[in-house]
Amino acid sequence: MTTPLIVMGSASRDYTVLVDRHPLPGETLLGGDIIIGSGGKGANQAVAASRAGGSPVFLGCFGDDTTGAELISNLDARGVDISHVTRTTQAPTGVALITVAASGENSIVVAAGANAHLTADATSAAIRSVITSAMAAGDVDLGSRTSPSGIVLAQLEVPLETVEAAAQVASDLGARFVLNLSPSRDIPDELLALCDPLVVNESEAAAVAGQPVDSIEDARRVAEALLSRCLSVVVTLGGDGVVVASGSQVEHLPAERVTVVDTTGAGDAFVGALVARLAQGGTLRNAVEVGISAGAKAVQHLGAQPA
């Protein structure tokens, strides 16, 4: 049985320019043509979850503008449930400005816009509605860690208090809460304790653990240490693969070897596919394997949400 999958987070209009290299401070570079696309960590992960066979419900806030309407329509067209999105007149739809170097590495600046207006009350109510409706239909029961009533995924491009509220209502309803701690910031121990898993890259893992992550062995040590603070941990290492820690097991899974075109959205593809597999009843290890494959495919295309 597939449990309800809820992805809450940001959505933005992406403006990408290809450059030979990223500019130095104070430097102006001439780049290639501008590429206009759809992005935002939350929306990217929802689309990735749908592409991986999930049926995600997206919770995000958009401006009351043409861009917002276009992004919502794009999510709908890509198999994402948009029935619980909100819109605001207080800010425009979010924007991301991206440069992609010849190496495939990106540099991103985000203007949050309407993403900063995703409220705790609206988000909590939507999560409760989705999961209790599934319970009333007999699709799921009040869940547990081994058999959750739903999967709730969040990132940190929306207000922290909204993420905290989502985690708490998910816990209250027996759902599994997954946090992609990106962009990196300090979070309270109470939120960390609900993460199952906490998904971080090397720099994010180093920041939350207070230890450097410069190798696979560093990642294994940090993941094991973080198990005392959260329920499970996934540390992504780019071309060096992924370290996954749960229970008493800490394991390294290698990356797939592919030609890198653009790393924008690769982490989001990984996380979206991971939660889709969890919602389908997969183990965390199996979900990580599915995520690795999705991330490898994502870096072979330009843009955060490749067709």
Side-chain angles (χ1 to χ4, degrees):
M1 181 183 296
T2 299
T3 60
L5 172 57
I6 300 168
V7 180
M8 59 161 291
S10 60
S12 66
R13 172 63 79 207
D14 285 1
Y15 296 94
T16 302
V17 178
L18 303 182
V19 293
D20 290 333
R21 59 174 176 80
H22 296 300
L24 300 172
E27 182 182 23
T28 298
L29 291 181
L30 292 178
D33 293 336
I34 194 164
I35 302 168
I36 302 174
S38 302
K41 284 190 170 296
N44 292 346
Q45 292 176 9
V47 169
S50 176
R51 191 184 300 120
S55 300
V57 177
F58 183 63
L59 309 182
C61 186
F62 300 80
D64 189 19
D65 48 32
T66 301
T67 299
E70 290 172 351
L71 293 181
I72 293 170
S73 179
N74 175 68
L75 288 169
D76 186 32
R78 290 173 178 251
V80 177
D81 185 330
I82 56 169
S83 60
H84 291 276
V85 301
T86 58
R87 304 186 73 174
T88 180
T89 59
Q90 299 179 53
T93 298
V95 170
L97 307 176
I98 306 167
T99 56
V100 177
S103 64
E105 289 300 318
N106 62 61
S107 178
I108 306 173
V109 176
V110 175
N115 294 309
H117 295 265
L118 182 63
T119 68
D121 288 347
T123 301
S124 297
I127 293 171
R128 190 173 297 278
S129 174
V130 171
I131 293 177
T132 57
S133 292
M135 290 178 181
D139 295 333
V140 295
D141 298 318
L142 184 61
S144 63
R145 189 181 179 201
T146 55
S147 182
S149 61
I151 307 292
V152 177
L153 167 65
Q155 324 76 31
L156 296 176
E157 287 184 340
V158 295
L160 180 59
E161 60 266 26
T162 303
V163 175
E164 291 177 285
Q168 190 57 60
V169 73
S171 177
D172 292 344
L173 293 170
R176 184 171 188 166
F177 179 71
V178 180
L179 178 64
N180 179 205
L181 207 166
S182 181
S184 183
R185 62 175 296 179
D186 291 335
I187 62 171
D189 288 341
E190 293 81 5
L191 176 60
L192 198 60
L194 297 176
C195 297
D196 190 17
L198 172 75
V199 183
V200 285
N201 64 20
E202 303 104 306
S203 62
E204 293 155 359
V208 72
Q211 302 178 39
V213 179
D214 298 318
S215 67
I216 294 171
E217 283 308 308
D218 286 347
R220 291 176 66 98
R221 283 192 293 271
V222 164
E224 186 173 15
L226 286 173
L227 278 178
S228 65
R229 301 170 62 192
C230 53
L231 296 168
S232 58
V233 184
V234 172
V235 183
T236 61
L237 305 170
D240 287 330
V242 179
V243 168
V244 55
S246 180
S248 60
Q249 291 191 324
V250 180
E251 185 176 8
H252 171 252
L253 302 179
E256 297 181 9
R257 298 300 172 189
V258 297
T259 299
V260 176
V261 175
D262 179 9
T263 58
T264 306
D268 295 334
F270 170 86
V271 177
L274 183 152
V275 294
R277 187 68 188 107
L278 289 179
Q280 293 160 354
T283 64
L284 180 57
R285 187 188 193 282
N286 175 226
V288 168
E289 291 173 331
V290 172
I292 289 172
S293 180
K297 291 176 183 176
V299 299
Q300 299 178 67
H301 304 276
L302 281 172
Q305 294 179 23

